[in-house]
Amino acid sequence: MTSESHAEAFRAYSNYFEDLGALLGGRYGVAETLAEGVIEATTSHPGLASAQRRPLEGARQAAFDEGMRKGWGFLRRAQREVEDSDFFDSEANAYLPYFAYYATYHCGRAFAAASRQQIPRDHAALLRTLSAAATRGAFPYPWSAWCKGCPETLEVEFGDVSAGDVHVLSRPRYETSDERLAMFLRTTRGKQLGEYYAVQRTKAVKPGKTRRALSAEEKRRHAGRLPATTIFDLLYRIRKKVSYGDADVFVLGPGSEVEARRLAEGLVLVCDATVAMLEAASAIYAGPELLERAAEAYAERTESSLIARRHALWAQRASGRRSLVAAAW
């Protein structure tokens, strides 16, 4: 890629996450109140009202504790990269997507344990599990947003999000955050299917040929097998970009430290909110005491102020209180 291409690709990703971060901040609060706002919204979400609460035991308890411990660990690493207000290392954007995705991955496995589903063993299984929860309305917006269908044949369906006319390089605005999210879902689904189509084009090839064309019907059929694309896929997309694609986009693309930080802060905000949402969804199935104990154990072992604040939130809920514990903030 040229330096101009790097800059444009970086701006696109930065705009996506800055807009998504603004959407979350506008709905649930910002900075120290974001997690509390997300937890409050998730625990009162109508889509989880029918969940049957039962305490965890044995292997599921162990799997839950491991998932939260690892997820919080990756969240802490991501948070540390942006907490210094005076300096930001722009090269951090080459590995921040990795931290953000794995925070979600491990907390997603913890959610599967808490909700008594089969615990995913790989990325595809995790994304299927979370997609199924999103499409049945178990998560609040924007984690409830999804995209189905086949972008290549222009047959796309959205759920809980509205498609609109917004340019990928236009400056983020709260008024267009919903439309940009829809675009992010659609383009991500297009890339997911494009990778699959590329493999299929090399199968059943006629002699003397290296690839074959796929019919529109084949594309539709393959698209119908792919689970709905959700926010969790967006985090996986950017993680794959830095791990297997072109990490230079995130290091060479920004024109200044300010631009580099903009992506990082948006990505970390989305990660923090997503982890908080999965915590709250887990608590619906297994009780807030589960989160209180896990956060307390983690905070004591690591002396993490971030997780100490999470512990304060869950201690309030376990005791039936809802107001902030001011000393913890």
Side-chain angles (χ1 to χ4, degrees):
M1 294 180 70
T2 65
S3 57
E4 184 176 345
S5 297
H6 279 136
E8 286 194 0
F10 176 83
R11 282 180 58 200
Y13 278 106
S14 181
N15 288 347
Y16 280 139
F17 282 99
E18 186 177 350
D19 238 356
L20 187 51
L23 186 157
L24 288 165
R27 279 181 171 252
Y28 304 118
V30 294
E32 293 175 336
T33 64
L34 176 63
E36 184 180 32
V38 170
I39 288 170
E40 178 65 35
T42 305
T43 53
S44 60
H45 180 56
L48 290 167
S50 62
Q52 297 296 311
R53 179 177 295 184
R54 287 182 293 169
L56 294 187
E57 297 177 349
R60 282 199 173 272
Q61 173 76 63
F64 176 84
D65 289 342
E66 179 186 31
M68 291 310 307
R69 183 173 66 252
K70 289 183 176 181
W72 282 331
F74 278 106
L75 174 60
R76 285 181 65 214
R77 294 183 200 180
Q79 290 276 15
R80 281 200 293 263
E81 295 298 334
V82 298
E83 62 187 6
D84 187 341
S85 60
D86 297 323
F87 172 75
F88 175 71
D89 180 3
S90 60
E91 293 194 3
N93 280 331
Y95 48 82
L96 265 174
Y98 182 91
F99 293 163
Y101 171 72
Y102 274 100
T104 300
Y105 173 81
H106 289 294
C107 290
R109 295 184 80 244
F111 165 73
S115 56
R116 290 167 181 78
Q117 301 181 68
Q118 183 173 351
I119 300 173
R121 295 184 177 274
D122 56 37
H123 304 300
L126 174 85
L127 295 171
R128 281 197 304 271
T129 297
L130 297 177
S131 174
T135 53
R136 69 172 181 265
F139 299 149
Y141 184 81
W143 300 279
S144 58
W146 51 262
C147 176
K148 294 181 181 179
C150 180
E152 280 200 25
T153 61
L154 303 181
E155 298 165 306
V156 176
E157 177 186 0
F158 293 99
D160 209 23
V161 68
S162 301
D165 186 18
V166 56
H167 193 280
V168 68
L169 298 181
S170 63
R171 284 292 302 140
R173 293 186 301 115
Y174 183 76
E175 295 78 10
T176 59
S177 56
D178 194 71
E179 288 84 354
R180 197 183 301 269
L181 173 57
M183 179 170 61
F184 201 1
L185 292 170
R186 176 178 54 77
T187 58
T188 299
R189 188 169 184 83
K191 288 183 178 297
Q192 290 172 314
L193 287 168
E195 291 172 2
Y196 186 76
Y197 294 157
V199 173
Q200 296 305 308
R201 288 187 177 102
T202 65
K203 296 182 178 180
V205 177
K206 293 181 180 179
K209 302 289 185 179
T210 59
R211 50 189 281 132
R212 67 183 180 90
L214 296 182
S215 68
E217 183 54 36
E218 283 182 284
K219 292 178 181 178
R220 292 190 192 99
R221 186 167 62 250
H222 293 314
R225 296 175 185 148
L226 181 69
T229 302
T230 67
I231 281 180
F232 308 101
D233 295 283
L234 309 185
L235 291 167
Y236 187 49
R237 170 182 170 179
I238 194 172
R239 177 255 156 170
K240 287 177 65 180
K241 182 73 172 178
V242 299
S243 296
Y244 309 118
D246 187 2
D248 281 347
V249 164
F250 303 100
V251 177
L252 304 179
S256 66
E257 181 183 315
V258 172
E259 289 185 10
R261 180 185 281 275
R262 188 174 294 139
L263 169 64
E265 290 180 341
L267 181 58
V268 171
L269 192 154
V270 172
C271 174
D272 186 23
T274 301
V275 167
M277 188 280 294
L278 291 169
E279 291 175 39
S282 298
I284 292 292
Y285 285 96
E289 298 82 5
L290 182 73
L291 274 300
E292 179 192 9
R293 290 194 297 269
E296 181 178 29
Y298 187 97
E300 287 180 351
R301 186 170 65 85
T302 62
E303 297 184 352
S304 166
S305 59
L306 170 67
I307 308 305
R309 293 194 291 269
R310 284 291 215 275
H311 172 244
L313 289 175
W314 287 114
Q316 293 170 51
R317 292 189 166 271
S319 64
R321 290 178 288 118
R322 291 294 182 271
S323 60
L324 279 174
V325 178
W329 299 94

